[in-house]
Structure formats: structure tokens, C-alpha cells
Amino acid sequence: MKFKNAAVVGAVALTAALALAGCSATSTPSASTTPTADAGVTYKVDPTLTGTLTAGGSSAQANAQTAWTAAFKAQATGVTINYDKSQGSGGGVTNWLAGSYDFAGTDSSLNPTQVTSAQTTCGAGGGLDIPAYLSGVAIIYNLAGVSNLKLSSATIASIFELKITTWNDPAIAADNAGVTLPATPITVVTRSDGSGTTANFTKYLKDTQPSIFTQANGTAWPVPGTSGQQGGAGVVNTVTAGAGTIGYADNSSIGSVTAAQVQVGTSKKFVAYSQTGATNAFEAAATAAPTGTGDLSETLDYSKITNTDSYPIPLLSYVVACTTFKDAAQAKLTKAYLSFILSDVGQKVASVNAGSAPLPTSILKEAVKSLALIK
Amino acid sequence: MTAIVGSKASTPRSGNPGPIPNSLTTGQLPKLVELYVGVGALLVVGGVMLLLGFNVGGWIFLSIILYLVALGVLSSIAENRRKATDRVVRSLVVIAFLLALAPLVSTLITVIYKGIGELTPDFITKTGGAAFDPATLKVTITAGALQAILGTLIITGIAALMSIPIGILTSIYLVEYAKPSSWMARAVTFLVDVMTGIPSIVAGLFAFSLFTIIVGPKAFSGFSASVALSVLMIPIVVRSCEEMLRLVPHDLREASFALGVSRFSTIVKIVLPTAIAGIITGVMLAIARVIGETAPIFVAASFTDNLNVNPFFGPMQTLPVLAYTGYKFPGQDIAASVASSWGAALLLVIIVVILNIIARIVARAFAPKGAR
Amino acid sequence: MKARPADRIFFGFSFGSAALIMVILAAVALFLIIRAMPAIVANWQTNSLLTTGPTAGFSSFWAYVGPLLFGTLWVSLIALIIGAPIAIGIALFISHYAPRRLAGILGYLVDLLAAVPSIVFGLWGIIVIRPLLLPLTQWLNDHLGFIPLFAGQASNTGSTILAGSVVLAVMILPIISSISREIFLQTPRLHEEAALALGATRWEMIRMAVLPYARSGVVSATLLGLGRALGETMAIALIISPSIGVSFKILTDGSNAQTIAANLALNFPESNDLQRSALIGSGLMLFVVSLAVNFIARWIVSRSTPGRPKRQRKDGRSAVPSNATSRVDAVALGGASVSGALEGEYE
């Protein structure tokens, strides 16, 4: 992470309880780069706000958005927020570009075509991608008698490329010394619908094991021959109901299914998902790739995640909004809501209620600067 | 049936020196022969399978085959070919029915069993909400379906109000007015045929695009969802009503015309009442088909957890959307989300049942008196 | 006959409705064509918007929709093969075999099932049908695996074409059977009674009097069912594990054909503009399918129905005098037949 902590945040007083909670969010130990004497990002919601926000997009953010909406409305009772999670990232951005949404949630930042059309929708300033939600992709499995599976990135890639077909394959055995593995055939469960989870997961496979995972990465699962299921819930249900099944899903929605520990980089260390792990991984993997002034697009290179305090498959999702709104009242409202979700408290609310990882403070400080551009 | 039937009459022509044969009942299998053969088939197949390895599906399946063959053979020997065919077909029809009943009953039981626990007064009469506790930052979600119930009734109601008159009038035009060869009748029939296979999401996209042209980009509204549902509903209404109107005997119309009754009165007083039960069935099928749609609703009416009763502005929620999102995008408490999903599904079924009952009462009121 | 004002107004209304339908439906078709065009003419090998995501790996629009068309027809066909005979059987049972009182309840129960939304059928398929069919899947694959239909790696999860088709068959049952039932009940009572009086067995009566009369209507009902099957989205999207390709296997996870509607719903949310065009284009193809299917069916009806050579000709054979007469006849027969011939009033 190259962000400087230069942003001076308007020290707006929060209610005592919120401030306390906010501090506890920032005090999460992050071993790598962030200086510890960091003042967090606080934001006080104006209780007199009124109006309706219409938004939608990424379903990965759905639970976080529900929590943010509830928390925001609790502080500004005159506001109604409709976040349509059924649209998906593509639907969210399309509707936002058409002017139907005040902001959109999306799992991938705007592509060059969309950046151009954003200038038509939002004026010369274009749109702003701002990271808002950080979680991890969990590798979930259901194998009788095996409760703490460890998988190296090469093994994961081989399994999902369907090159390993039984659970007692030497490659899996090598990752799990001392564990008796049954000869059950492996059933690989993937997403049949387009999804940001698939995009992040295939990017991880591509970055870490390009020689094994030869298919294209993207929102659609590329390897034919797997069992495709609709939605994260479909994957989780099918993995739970099956025998010898393995799949991937956003960690915040896996419920009580067992998740494998994943090898970090090329080390011999296997880690389970943790919120701190995802935050650390994000700091290690992300490189800013702005498409315009104030844009906070990030490129994740999963092969850079080598530190053993990180979870190797983070999942990032953005909110996008216009720099210039046609309607000043909507601008004010959108800005207030996004400022809230990109504050320490906002991130904490999501991590408590949606299992997400708080974004690094440095990103939140950049976000404050970007949000200041909205008018 | 006389006493001879009660005796072991499987071979009544074998010269059994019993009572004097009754010429009306000889050559007939006993009344409950289907039952005997059925039980026999189940026992035989069950016995064989116990030796070879048992499995319920195979048992029932093979028993059915054996039963049909045995019944056919028995009846062609004891009775005749025609009766054998009759018995086999009757059995096939009953088996088809029982076969169909299993999944149908299973679906209903699943919906009721999974949904009934969720149907608390609060779920029905309150809007779903979320309470935020600033001390712990914990958001507690309370399930509620009022916004979805009202949304379903409003959106489907408007769609029905638009589609039913248009659909019935069009089928009247096709059957009663248009010459079969006229280009108009052909074009309408052609388009209706094409539209029966429209993917529902496409109807939603069409309605939403239409409304973005009319009211600008923020076009999400219950009304645009109604238009989408109408596009789906109209072909079904036209198709089924057309079929029902054609079945009205032509003699009735001719009798009416012969008495000097106008075409309008003939249609309204004779044709429609005669066909009303069929028309109502068709209309209810059409409503049932669209009331459960999800894709066009969230394309055209977006999604909200808030109560909105204004069909012309802002996102609306419906019960199928609530059921779908509860399953596909569960909250942190997955079990609770799925439960509210089933609750919404059960509510939807209940609403359709109520609509059905109302429709039947209406049909009864308009049906010709002689048929009661 | 003189046209009276009421007549003219009523004609105006019904003509207007027909015209309105034409406008609406033509507008939908036009909308689809306009939205689909960019993807149909795009170069699928070089356009970076199409070489990723759901459209990756297809050389042209036609290479993409071809297998989808096949999948749609394939899944619907299997569903129809399973569902239509059973549905017609139910309709016959209710109209001609079941005791009258029972028939009312049964008819209502079947109608009720038309009311179950497809999302519920999808969920039901996942929790009930998928596990239920697993042993059968394994058995068919083990013993009859030499037939291409049952070949391949048998599914371990149950997300097969077979499971999807069974659920689809259950979904189209109520549609086909309630319309068929109404039509069977409309059979002229005199025809039925004449047949019975000549000593026909019940089946012969149905074959000679009921089926010829009802054929056109039953075909229409089946088509409405097929229409639902072709356009069904959510249940298939939830149950079948798809891969876009031409495959006749019905017991696998990894090589199932995919339907247009399910593919559209699954991939639409995350797609970019051009991919959306491609998906809408595939929806356009569904129109072509519906049209072809309807056309074939109309042709079958007009060829095989001696009494109704053209759909539009008013049927001369249905010489039912009036409701009252047929009621009397029904009563005279000791209530053996379902009465209320013209109403289907079985409640």
C-alpha cells in the first residue's frame, strides 16, 4: 500500500458509544505497514437528512448494505434506502450508468468503456470507484472424517481444473501429512451464475498457479465438467448435502460448512480465514490503479500475498458514484451515506453484521478525499 | 352382481359345475379384480426383490408393469380384448393420477410444513425491518412480509386489470368477429403464438426500457412491473379463452341469432356464460403463472425492504421476490432467511387459493342457471 | 342482422384489444431485435467485451445460441414426455373416471398447483427431488450406461437434466391438465351417451367420442405447457448444473445442456452491455422456437382432426341441444357421467 496518511479528517464528534466502537475497529493489529498511532476516520451522520436513495448491484455486499442501511436509518430516520442486491454488479453498473441509481455496488472497478460512459452520465469528472467491502473467498468442502483440511495453491488449482479426481490423491495427502484420506471421488461445485466471487477466485488461481490453471479468469466459471449451482447459497447447500464435495463461496455466507486452510504464498504455512488476515492480504496485494482524479480502483495481485498473517484469497467490492450529480439533494444524501459506510464505524458495522473485514484506515482516508469531490 | 362373482371366478368358462351361469355376468372378472391383481403384483415383485435386493422405487415400478400385464392377460382370457383394453387404460389413468399426486402433494406439504412456522401475525401485518443497536453495532433483522403482500396484490392486480379485459376481448374478436382468413386474425394469432415462449426477464427489460423512455432513468415502479406481467399474461389469457369460446356449440349462437338477438347480446348473454368456467380457469392459470414471477419484478420494480404502496413511483417488493432473495441472498442468519423465504412462498399460495375461490364464486354467479 | 350501437361499440372494443395486442407484442419483438443486434453483428473472436465472462470461447453469436437452443428443446421435450401423458391422464381421470364429489376436490387440488410459484418448485426440487433421484441416477448409469442418454459420469449432487425435467414436468402438469379437463368436460354429452349405448366400453367411448372432439384443445393445452417449459427460468436455474454444449446425457453434473431462459437469468446480472445483447439475442431465439413449435402443432391439429379441418370452421358435429337435455341424460344414466357438461361445475 502506497497511501500516505496525510488526510486530515474533520474531527466530527460521534456519540460516545459509536466513537468507542470505532476506535476498537482501528486498533485491530495490522502487522505490516500501518503506523499504529493512527487516528481513525470518523463520521457523524446528520440526523436531519431526508430523502430516498436508490441503489443496487453486487450481491456480495448485500448483507453489509443491509446492516449499513439499518445503521444509517437509525441515525437519520427521514432517509429511505433501497439497495437492490438481485441486480448483480453488471446490473448495478448498467443501471447506474443509465442514471437509475444514485450509486452502485460492484465487484470489479469500471472498465475503460464504462469509464467513458460514466463521463456522459456524471459530467467531466466521471465516476468514482471506492473500495467498500472486503471479505475472503472460502474453500468449503464436505468429506466424512476429515475436519481440518489443508490445501496448497497448486492442489486447489489442480482440483478446480479437475486434474485431481479423488480425495486420496498424493497431492492432497502431501498437504495433509498424518490425515487418512478416503478414496471418495471429488465433486467440484462451482457457481453457475456470473459472480464477483468467481472473478476473485479465478484471478487468485491464475495469479498463483498460472501453469496449472490455464483457463481464462472472469465472472463466469471457465472449467467445464463441474457441478454448477446458482448463487453462493446454492454452492453452500450442495457442498453441505453432498459427499466428497468441494466448492468456493464468500466467507461471510458459508454458515456452518467447514472451510479448508489455504497455503500462503509458497510457504509451508496454511491459514484459515480471519478478518485481520483479509485486511492484511488486501494491503499486500493491492496496487492503486486510478482511472481518474479521486478514483480508488485497486488491482489485486494475489501472488504478492506471502506474509503468513494474511489470508491468501481476499475478495474486494466497490461502490461507484458520480462526481457530479444532477440533483444536489441526492448528491448530499449519497455523500452522507457513502461517508458513513467508509468510516471506521461503518466498516465495523459491516464486520459485526456481515462478517466482512474492515478496510485499512489508509484506504478510508483516501476515500474521504474522494467523497469530498462529490457534488 | 350375483353370487358367482364372489366365487373364484378368474376362469368362469372352465366349466365350473356351480350355480346356473347368469348370462349377464359371465365373462366378467370380479368387481375388485384390480385390487386383487394389484396386491398380488406387489407381493410377487416384493417377494422376488427380497431375494435379489430390495429397493422401493424399483418395487413400485416393477409391480405396476406386472400389474398391467397380468390384468391385460387375465381380462383378455376371461373377458375379451375390448374389455382388457378398457381395464388397462383405466388402470393407466388411475396410475397416472396417483403418480402425479405424489409430487403435487409433496410440494404442498413441503411448502406448508416449512412455511407454517413463519406465518405469525407479525410476519403478515408488519413490514420487515432492522433494528440497530448503537452500543454493540449489532443489527437485528425482523422478518415481515406486509410490503411484499401489498406489492404482490398491487402489481398483479394492475396487471390482471389490464390483461384480462384485453385478453378476453381479443379472443372474442378472434372467435366471434374476425374471418379466419383476415390478416388481422392471422397476425394476432401469430404474435400470440410467438409470445407464449417469452422469457420472463425479457418482459421485464421491455417494460423497464419503455418506462425509462417515458419517465426518465428512475423508472422503477410497481406499474412498470405490472406492464411486464401483462406482456406475459395476455398470450395465456388469449390462448385459453380462445379455446374455450370455440368449444361453445355453434347451435347456441345460431339459436340466439334466429330469435333476433344482437351479436353483442348473444356474446354477452349466451357465449360468455356458457364458457365462463373455462375462461375463469384460464384466467386463474394466467394469474397464477405471473403472480409467482421474480425476474421481471426485480428488473422493472427493483427491490426494497420498505413499504411502498404507490404503484407509480419507487421500488416495490413482492412475495416471490422475498422468497427468492431470502434463499439466494441469505443474511448472516441463513436459517432465518430461508424460513422467511418459505413463509413468503406459503403466503403466496394462500393468496392464490383465495383468488381462486373468489373466481369460482364469480363464475357460479354468471353461469347459466340450468347447469346448477 | 342490423348492427346496433352496443354492437358497434363492443366490436370496436374487441377489435381495439386485438390491435393493441398486436402493437404491444410487435413492440416487444422490435425491442428485442434492437437490443440483440449489437451482439449478433459483433466479432466474437476479437471484441474484448465478448471474449470474457459468459460469452468467452464462442466463435460467433450462432455458436453461442446453437447449443442453448438445443438445450431448451431437449429439456422441454423430456419434461413434456414425462409430464404430458400424466397430465392428460389426470384430466381424463377427473373428467371421466373419478366419482363426481372427489373430482371437484381433485380438480381444485390440481388448479392449486398451478399457483405454486416456480421459485418454490425450484426449492422443492433442490431439497426433495435431487436426493430422491440420486439412487435412480446411479442405478441407470450402472446398468444402462451403454445408452447415450444414461452415459457419462453419474452425478453426485443430483443437479441433472433428469431432476430438472422432472420438476419441470410437475410444473407443467397443472396447466395441461386443467385446460384439458375443461375441454374433456365440454364433450357433447350425446356423443358420449350414444357411444355407451352402442355397447362401447368406457375407453372406447373416450377414444371415439371424447378424444377426437378434444384433440385441438388438448394440443393447445400441451402447447401452453410447453410454452411454460420453454420459458421456465428459476426452477431450472436452481436445479440443473449447466454447461453450454450439445449433450444428450441426462444423468451428469458436468455435461448438461443448458436452456436459454436459465442461462439468461444466471448470467444477466454480472454481464456487460454486449454480453447482455448476446443474452437478449438468445431470448429472441426463444421466440423463434415458440413460433416453430406452435406452427407445427397447428399443422398437426389441422391434419389430424377430421371434425375440425380448420380451426376456424364452426364445428358442425357438436350437436348439443341444450344444457338441460344433457343434464337429464346424465341423470338418466344414474349419474355415471360427470354432469354439468358445459360448465365443468364439479364443486
Side-chain angles (χ1 to χ4, degrees):
Chain A
M1 293 302 292
K2 309 275 187 306
F3 292 110
K4 300 280 181 293
N5 297 321
V8 181
V9 184
V12 190
L14 257 183
T15 61
L18 291 180
L20 272 174
C23 290
S24 69
T26 47
S27 65
T28 13
S30 47
S32 49
T33 50
T34 322
T36 41
D38 211 349
V41 175
T42 50
Y43 181 78
K44 171 83 175 80
V45 176
D46 176 2
T48 60
L49 283 171
T50 52
T52 302
L53 273 182
T54 310
S58 160
S59 58
Q61 299 177 18
N63 287 339
Q65 288 285 359
T66 309
W68 286 326
T69 303
F72 191 82
K73 282 202 290 199
Q75 299 167 68
T77 44
V79 180
T80 305
I81 301 163
N82 299 312
Y83 182 86
D84 184 351
K85 54 203 174 191
S86 64
Q87 296 288 338
S89 304
V93 171
T94 308
N95 283 339
W96 171 71
L97 285 175
S100 308
Y101 283 163
D102 296 313
F103 72 92
T106 172
D107 297 340
S108 50
S109 53
L110 300 178
N111 65 32
T113 331
Q114 290 164 340
V115 168
T116 316
S117 34
Q119 285 167 347
T120 323
T121 316
C122 311
L128 296 171
D129 292 288
I130 304 169
Y133 174 85
L134 180 63
S135 179
V137 179
I139 309 292
I140 52 174
Y141 67 98
N142 184 2
L143 184 63
V146 181
S147 56
N148 53 349
L149 191 70
K150 297 184 175 71
L151 294 171
S152 66
S153 55
T155 313
I156 295 174
S158 303
I159 291 175
F160 281 90
E161 265 272 337
L162 306 182
K163 284 176 181 147
I164 294 178
T165 54
T166 53
W167 279 104
N168 60 356
D169 191 277
I172 304 178
D175 291 343
N176 296 277
V179 178
T180 320
L181 294 163
T184 322
I186 299 179
T187 301
V188 177
V189 184
T190 57
R191 290 285 290 269
S192 60
D193 49 343
S195 88
T197 314
T198 306
N200 279 276
F201 182 56
T202 50
K203 179 77 166 49
Y204 157 79
L205 295 174
K206 197 85 184 164
D207 282 350
T208 53
Q209 297 295 338
S211 59
I212 302 175
F213 191 82
T214 53
Q215 308 280 349
N217 55 302
T219 54
W221 178 255
V223 185
T226 62
S227 177
Q229 302 294 333
Q230 186 187 8
V235 172
V236 172
N237 285 347
T238 307
V239 167
T240 314
T245 44
I246 187 165
Y248 59 90
D250 182 341
N251 189 79
S252 66
S253 65
I254 62 171
S256 55
V257 197
T258 329
Q261 295 178 26
V262 183
Q263 177 194 31
V264 190
T266 50
S267 69
K268 277 285 143 209
K269 178 89 171 158
F270 295 86
V271 296
Y273 173 82
S274 66
Q275 293 180 350
T276 330
T279 310
N280 292 342
F282 174 74
E283 297 204 61
T287 317
T291 58
T293 316
D295 185 88
L296 297 181
S297 297
E298 301 280 337
T299 319
L300 295 187
D301 183 348
Y302 290 88
S303 61
K304 286 188 185 163
I305 304 170
T306 49
N307 217 323
T308 53
D309 64 1
S310 309
Y311 180 73
I313 328 176
L315 181 158
L316 178 66
S317 192
Y318 300 84
V319 288
V320 290
C322 280
T323 43
T324 312
F325 276 63
K326 291 191 175 64
D327 179 346
Q330 288 307 104
K332 190 180 169 204
L333 198 55
T334 310
K335 198 166 160 180
Y337 180 66
L338 295 184
S339 300
F340 170 69
I341 69 178
L342 289 161
S343 68
D344 290 334
V345 181
Q347 290 294 308
K348 179 77 178 161
V349 165
S351 82
V352 168
N353 297 293
S356 68
L359 284 162
T361 312
S362 50
I363 279 280
L364 297 182
K365 291 189 170 173
E366 289 294 318
V368 171
K369 287 196 281 183
S370 297
L371 289 171
L373 299 175
I374 294 179
K375 49 191 174 293
Chain B
M1 295 289 157
T2 54
I4 193 166
V5 176
S7 70
K8 284 178 187 159
S10 55
T11 54
R13 288 177 190 172
S14 62
N16 187 2
I20 303 155
N22 177 338
S23 64
L24 284 176
T25 53
T26 48
Q28 279 199 359
L29 289 169
K31 203 177 178 185
L32 291 178
V33 65
E34 274 94 358
L35 181 67
Y36 301 151
V37 176
V39 171
L42 282 173
L43 288 178
V44 169
V45 174
V48 172
M49 283 192 89
L50 277 181
L51 299 174
L52 299 175
F54 191 76
N55 128 354
V56 177
W59 178 47
I60 293 172
F61 179 73
L62 291 177
S63 299
I64 289 174
I65 304 274
L66 180 68
Y67 164 76
L68 290 174
V69 171
L71 189 68
V73 170
L74 211 60
S75 173
S76 24
I77 294 169
E79 301 175 329
N80 57 44
R81 241 192 125 67
R82 290 174 46 220
K83 286 210 168 155
T85 320
D86 188 45
R87 282 191 194 277
V88 170
V89 171
R90 179 198 299 267
S91 304
L92 275 177
V93 166
V94 175
I95 289 168
F97 184 75
L98 294 177
L99 216 66
L101 219 54
L104 302 186
V105 170
S106 159
T107 316
L108 284 184
I109 289 178
T110 311
V111 177
I112 295 170
Y113 173 74
K114 298 253 179 191
I116 197 83
E118 192 68 13
L119 287 199
T120 55
D122 274 1
F123 184 69
I124 299 167
T125 57
K126 293 214 170 107
T127 305
F132 177 65
D133 179 354
T136 60
L137 298 186
K138 194 88 190 135
V139 172
T140 319
I141 294 177
T142 45
L146 184 65
Q147 79 282 13
I149 296 172
L150 292 178
T152 301
L153 292 177
I154 291 170
I155 290 177
T156 320
I158 294 176
L161 280 181
M162 292 191 290
S163 332
I164 296 173
I166 293 180
I168 294 182
L169 284 171
T170 303
S171 56
I172 289 176
Y173 171 77
L174 288 175
V175 177
E176 307 291 334
Y177 287 108
K179 290 196 182 68
S181 54
S182 81
W183 70 269
M184 177 94 171
R186 279 167 183 270
V188 171
T189 313
F190 171 85
L191 283 167
V192 167
D193 277 1
V194 177
M195 298 301 289
T196 50
I198 185 173
S200 49
I201 194 169
V202 167
L205 289 169
F206 166 74
F208 182 64
S209 302
L210 187 72
F211 277 80
T212 47
I213 296 170
I214 299 171
V215 301
K218 291 206 174 177
F220 300 113
S221 69
F223 187 66
S224 84
S226 300
V227 169
L229 294 188
S230 291
V231 169
L232 293 169
M233 206 173 158
I234 287 173
I236 307 180
V237 177
V238 173
R239 202 68 202 268
S240 52
C241 288
E242 191 192 342
E243 211 49 62
M244 295 307 157
L245 290 179
R246 285 196 196 289
L247 283 176
V248 174
H250 205 50
D251 319 39
L252 292 181
R253 297 187 185 92
E254 276 160 10
S256 170
F257 293 153
L259 292 171
V261 180
S262 73
R263 194 170 267 270
F264 166 70
S265 301
T266 307
I267 293 171
V268 173
K269 299 241 169 72
I270 309 287
V271 178
L272 286 182
T274 311
I276 191 87
I279 291 176
I280 295 277
T281 301
V283 165
M284 287 317 297
L285 278 177
I287 291 181
R289 166 85 160 78
V290 299
I291 204 172
E293 280 296 346
T294 44
I297 306 285
F298 50 63
V299 171
S302 193
F303 174 88
T304 177
D305 276 326
N306 304 308
L307 181 63
N308 175 17
V309 290
N310 178 359
F312 299 102
F313 182 78
M316 274 180 124
Q317 198 185 31
T318 65
L319 286 167
V321 169
L322 183 62
Y324 175 71
T325 51
Y327 170 77
K328 186 166 173 183
F329 314 108
Q332 274 299 89
D333 186 350
I334 295 178
S337 291
V338 174
S340 70
S341 199
W342 283 109
L346 179 58
L347 268 180
L348 189 56
V349 173
I350 292 174
I351 287 181
V352 179
V353 170
I354 295 173
L355 288 180
N356 243 314
I357 292 171
I358 295 173
R360 297 272 161 199
I361 294 171
V362 171
R364 217 169 245 268
F366 286 104
K369 301 290 175 284
R372 280 294 154 73
Chain C
M1 179 182 344
K2 225 170 44 196
R4 299 166 208 190
D7 259 1
R8 275 204 298 275
I9 292 168
F10 191 64
F11 173 77
F13 270 123
S14 57
F15 183 84
S17 297
L20 186 63
I21 286 193
M22 268 174 46
V23 171
I24 295 172
L25 302 193
V28 174
L30 196 69
F31 162 78
L32 278 175
I33 294 170
I34 292 173
R35 290 288 299 266
M37 228 41 214
I40 299 177
V41 297
N43 183 333
W44 283 53
Q45 268 135 352
T46 53
N47 194 321
S48 63
L49 289 176
L50 287 170
T51 50
T52 57
T55 50
F58 294 94
S59 59
S60 73
F61 175 73
W62 305 107
Y64 182 60
V65 295
L68 286 172
L69 267 179
F70 164 79
T72 306
L73 289 172
W74 179 234
V75 174
S76 308
L77 181 73
I78 299 177
L80 207 60
I81 290 174
I82 303 173
I86 297 183
I88 294 169
I90 300 175
L92 267 184
F93 180 78
I94 294 174
S95 66
H96 285 83
Y97 285 99
R100 192 187 163 195
R101 198 159 283 282
L102 189 64
I105 299 165
L106 296 178
Y108 193 74
L109 189 68
V110 173
D111 280 359
L112 189 59
L113 274 143
V116 178
S118 53
I119 169 76
V120 174
F121 277 115
L123 298 179
W124 172 74
I126 285 182
I127 65 167
V128 178
I129 288 296
R130 275 200 340 192
L132 191 74
L133 288 179
L134 268 184
L136 177 69
T137 304
Q138 196 59 51
W139 188 88
L140 286 173
N141 187 253
D142 287 348
H143 296 87
L144 299 171
F146 55 88
I147 303 172
L149 209 61
F150 305 133
Q153 168 74 46
S155 169
N156 197 14
T157 59
S159 298
T160 61
I161 297 264
L162 180 67
S165 302
V166 166
V167 172
L168 206 50
V170 175
M171 294 177 71
I172 62 176
L173 268 184
I175 295 182
I176 303 182
S177 85
S178 25
I179 297 179
S180 302
R181 181 194 69 218
E182 292 297 336
I183 288 161
F184 289 147
L185 286 171
Q186 303 272 13
T187 311
R189 179 73 50 213
L190 285 187
H191 293 191
E192 294 180 9
E193 283 153 13
L196 290 175
L198 289 171
T201 61
R202 187 160 286 271
W203 166 239
E204 285 163 342
M205 180 273 283
I206 289 171
R207 200 162 50 92
M208 293 186 298
V210 179
L211 292 186
Y213 181 81
R215 182 170 287 142
S216 142
V218 171
V219 171
S220 273
T222 311
L223 280 186
L224 276 178
L226 185 62
R228 169 140 200 204
L230 289 173
E232 176 50 38
T233 309
M234 221 38 99
I236 291 188
L238 280 170
I239 294 168
I240 297 179
S241 152
S243 60
I244 299 173
V246 175
S247 156
F248 288 97
K249 303 188 177 84
I250 63 167
L251 301 179
T252 67
D253 261 330
S255 44
N256 293 331
Q258 168 70 317
T259 72
I260 289 175
N263 185 58
L264 184 54
L266 284 176
N267 288 310
F268 200 79
E270 296 291 332
S271 292
N272 61 39
D273 276 353
L274 208 51
Q275 289 164 351
R276 287 182 166 218
S277 288
L279 290 168
I280 292 175
S282 72
L284 192 61
M285 290 304 115
L286 199 51
F287 273 34
V288 179
V289 177
S290 318
L291 184 64
V293 165
N294 276 287
F295 185 79
I296 294 168
R298 287 200 189 281
W299 182 70
I300 294 174
V301 171
S302 67
R303 250 175 60 99
S304 64
T305 313
R308 309 174 79 191
K310 289 208 183 89
R311 282 173 57 82
Q312 284 77 10
R313 192 202 288 178
K314 299 298 184 245
D315 188 320
R317 303 178 317 117
S318 53
V320 179
S322 75
N323 293 338
T325 322
S326 60
R327 286 279 298 176
V328 170
D329 291 333
V331 172
L333 268 180
S337 323
V338 179
S339 59
L342 288 163
E343 266 60 44
E345 280 269 331
Y346 36 68
E347 288 128 299

